[in-house]
């Protein structure tokens, strides 16, 4: 199906482990974004990408790494997970002729023990 | 930097009641403004948007008007339904690189 998908939908890991969250979109949108959602904070931008091989930090990038070797994929890696990274993570993309409007994936719920 | 402040919830209403969620913003220039909705267990969906002052966005019975003089973008619906139960987020778009700044979200519960 066309759209934006995230995997896994749910993940439990332990402190110190590396975790990669996947995001895939079938629209060939140039812009892609990663957010985390925490109670009382709304959504906060972690990283974003304007095109393949172009990434930039958002509001809360520490402890995260991203890559964008292909337009359709934008994985987010937690290099050494911490309990404070327990959150719901959303990926989004925006189309080239209306970059302001973002389309969101269903989210990944991550629990770090 | 740009920021959005929206009314704290939770808000609980009866069906057919009037809903308003306040949203104010701080930004340099004239950003586009958005309302996104998140239904339980799902990602965010665009509800409506406005790109310039005095524009009114509308969708599914919801409306919001971009008020430059009061830096506000309040969301309203005249008669809510149980299916409107969700979390509503106000957001603005950075004009340079299309980043969105979100408010904290307002949880709305509509009871039959």
């Amino acid at each position: 199906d066309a759209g934006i998908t995230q995997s896994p939908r749910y993940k439990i890991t332990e402190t110190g482990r590396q975790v990669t969250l996947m995001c895939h979109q079938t629209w060939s949108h140039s812009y892609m974004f990663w957010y985390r959602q925490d109670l009382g904070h709304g959504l906060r931008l972690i990283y974003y990408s304007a095109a393949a091989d172009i990434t930039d930090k958002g509001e809360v990038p520490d402890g995260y790494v991203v890559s964008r070797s292909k337009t359709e994929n934008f994985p987010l890696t937690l290099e050494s997970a911490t309990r404070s990274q327990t959150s719901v993570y959303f990926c989004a993309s925006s189309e080239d002729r209306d970059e302001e409007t973002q389309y969101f994936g269903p989210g990944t719920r991550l629990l770090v023990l | 930097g740009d920021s959005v402040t929206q009314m704290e919830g939770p808000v609980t209403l009866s069906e057919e009641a009037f809903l308003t969620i306040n949203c104010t913003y701080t930004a340099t220039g004239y950003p586009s403004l958005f309302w996104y909705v998140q239904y339980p267990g799902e990602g965010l969906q665009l509800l409506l948007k406005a790109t310039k002052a005095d524009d009114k966005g509308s969708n599914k019975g919801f409306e919001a008007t971009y008020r430059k003089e009061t830096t506000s973008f309040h969301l309203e619906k005249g008669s809510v339904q149980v299916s409107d139960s969700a979390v509503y987020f106000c957001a603005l778009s950075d004009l340079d690189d299309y980043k969105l700044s979100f408010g904290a979200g307002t949880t709305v519960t509509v009871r039959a």
Side-chain angles (χ1 to χ4, degrees), chain A residues 35 41-43 104, chain B residues 4 6 36 44 89-92 100-104:
Chain A
Y35 296 89
H41 290 280
L43 275 76
F104 284 78
Chain B
V4 174
Q6 66 180 97
Y36 279 82
L44 280 71
F89 292 93
C90 186
L92 65 82
L100 289 177
S101 296
F102 286 89

Side-chain angles (χ1 to χ4, degrees), chain B residues 66-85:
Chain B
Y66 189 164
R67 301 287 188 199
K68 186 178 69 172
E69 63 276 13
T70 55
T71 61
S72 65
F73 192 55
H74 304 323
L75 182 69
E76 296 181 338
K77 185 173 185 182
S79 178
V80 294
Q81 304 300 313
V82 172
S83 57
D84 294 324
S85 298

Side-chain angles (χ1 to χ4, degrees), chain A residues 37 48 98 100-102, chain B residues 32 36 38 49 89 97-98:
Chain A
Q37 183 180 27
Y48 66 105
D98 180 15
E100 294 180 318
T101 299
Q102 294 184 16
Chain B
S32 293
Y36 279 82
Q38 183 181 29
K49 65 184 278 190
F89 292 93
D97 52 19
Y98 311 113

Side-chain angles (χ1 to χ4, degrees), chain A residues 30-106:
Chain A
S30 293
Y31 277 85
M32 295 188 75
F33 307 84
W34 273 107
Y35 296 89
R36 59 178 290 173
Q37 183 180 27
D38 304 292
L39 199 61
H41 290 280
L43 275 76
R44 292 180 291 176
L45 183 65
I46 305 170
Y47 270 95
Y48 66 105
S49 169
D53 298 322
I54 301 174
T55 62
D56 210 343
K57 295 178 180 179
E59 182 185 353
V60 288
D62 293 343
Y64 303 95
V65 174
V66 293
S67 62
R68 187 130 180 245
S69 58
K70 293 184 177 180
T71 299
E72 61 266 30
N73 296 324
F74 191 38
L76 175 74
T77 298
L78 288 65
E79 294 187 298
S80 178
T82 65
R83 289 198 181 93
S84 65
Q85 292 177 310
T86 293
S87 186
V88 181
Y89 291 85
F90 288 100
C91 180
S93 69
S94 62
E95 61 183 332
D96 296 354
R97 284 181 290 181
D98 180 15
E99 289 91 345
E100 294 180 318
T101 299
Q102 294 184 16
Y103 299 87
F104 284 78

